[in-house]
Amino acid sequence: MKKIIYKNILGLAAMTILLISGIFVYFYNQSLHREMQEQVKTEAFCTAAAFEIKGNNLEYLERLKKENVLRITLIDMDGSVLYDSAASVSGLGKNRGPPGVLASVSGLENHRDRPEIRAAMDTGSGSETRLSDTLKTETYYYAIRLSEGQILRLSMEVKSNLRTFLELLPLLAGVALLILVSAYLVAHR
């Protein structure tokens, strides 16, 4: 009888740990996602303002590329990509004119039909979370229409619930071990 009670207590503790861990990871990840969206949006407004003050100079975006974890893309009014800070990362070559002169990035498809770009063209700004066609990762995008009609888009990779869970696994395992040891001690009293 004592063994049955012991097994039931441990089983209930294990199920409770799994359930609470799942709920915690989900809400924690949602909170991180909201913070990341605000960070990208704020950074997009600051970058757009500074880019226009610098005279739409690509050298400014290149300097930001070295300092920033965000991906920066500049899109022309027709949807062609003028600059993409991740183009070299994905193996796509750049076709540039003289320093500071805008030229298309070769190898990237037209971005005119991307949801965040369409919204920015229509309303001045737009955002979207989706799979990146270039980097093949889930990404949050925020796009702003510049005064000359071009679109400046900043983006950041979105962490999945699984990735967040794996990052928190050592902490969750420690809490689980503490709870299971406590359940064992209570069951053997």
Side-chain angles (χ1 to χ4, degrees):
M1 181 70 170
K2 198 172 186 182
K3 277 188 175 185
I4 293 172
I5 293 172
Y6 168 70
K7 285 181 183 179
N8 286 341
I9 290 174
L10 280 180
L12 183 61
M15 287 186 344
T16 303
I17 291 168
L18 286 174
L19 180 65
I20 290 173
S21 295
I23 292 169
F24 171 75
V25 167
Y26 174 78
F27 284 108
Y28 179 71
N29 201 43
Q30 293 303 310
S31 174
L32 287 178
H33 189 70
R34 281 189 300 276
E35 285 179 30
M36 180 267 307
Q37 287 176 329
E38 283 302 312
Q39 175 190 356
V40 172
K41 182 179 178 180
T42 301
E43 191 72 27
F45 279 107
C46 293
T47 303
F51 181 67
E52 291 193 316
I53 288 170
K54 299 280 184 183
N56 294 354
N57 191 320
L58 281 181
E59 290 175 352
Y60 174 70
L61 297 180
E62 273 297 304
R63 279 197 313 272
L64 283 180
K65 175 182 173 180
K66 295 173 186 159
E67 304 167 5
N68 210 326
V69 296
L70 300 176
R71 178 179 171 196
I72 303 169
T73 310
L74 182 64
I75 297 128
D76 207 355
M77 293 176 280
D78 66 356
S80 60
V81 178
L82 300 172
Y83 174 84
D84 190 331
S85 63
S88 61
V89 172
S90 62
L92 301 171
K94 292 183 179 178
N95 177 18
R96 292 226 182 119
V101 175
L102 301 178
S104 291
V105 176
S106 62
L108 289 178
E109 66 185 54
N110 191 293
H111 283 37
R112 178 181 50 244
D113 292 329
R114 307 268 167 99
E116 70 280 3
I117 302 303
R118 276 193 315 246
M121 287 178 173
D122 294 342
T123 66
S125 66
S127 64
E128 178 79 12
T129 300
R130 60 178 169 74
L131 186 67
S132 166
D133 293 335
T134 305
L135 302 178
K136 305 298 182 217
T137 58
E138 187 176 2
T139 306
Y140 173 72
Y141 298 95
Y142 192 86
I144 297 175
R145 185 178 59 225
L146 301 174
S147 60
E148 293 183 13
Q150 301 158 322
I151 305 295
L152 183 71
R153 181 183 73 179
L154 272 67
S155 59
M156 180 180 266
E157 183 180 338
V158 175
K159 286 186 180 181
S160 68
N161 286 332
L162 177 62
R163 186 169 161 190
T164 302
F165 177 77
L166 292 175
E167 288 175 0
L168 293 173
L169 191 58
L171 174 67
L172 295 173
V175 170
L177 184 62
L178 182 66
I179 292 171
L180 290 174
V181 167
S182 298
Y184 175 81
L185 292 175
V186 168
H188 282 355
R189 253 172 52 190

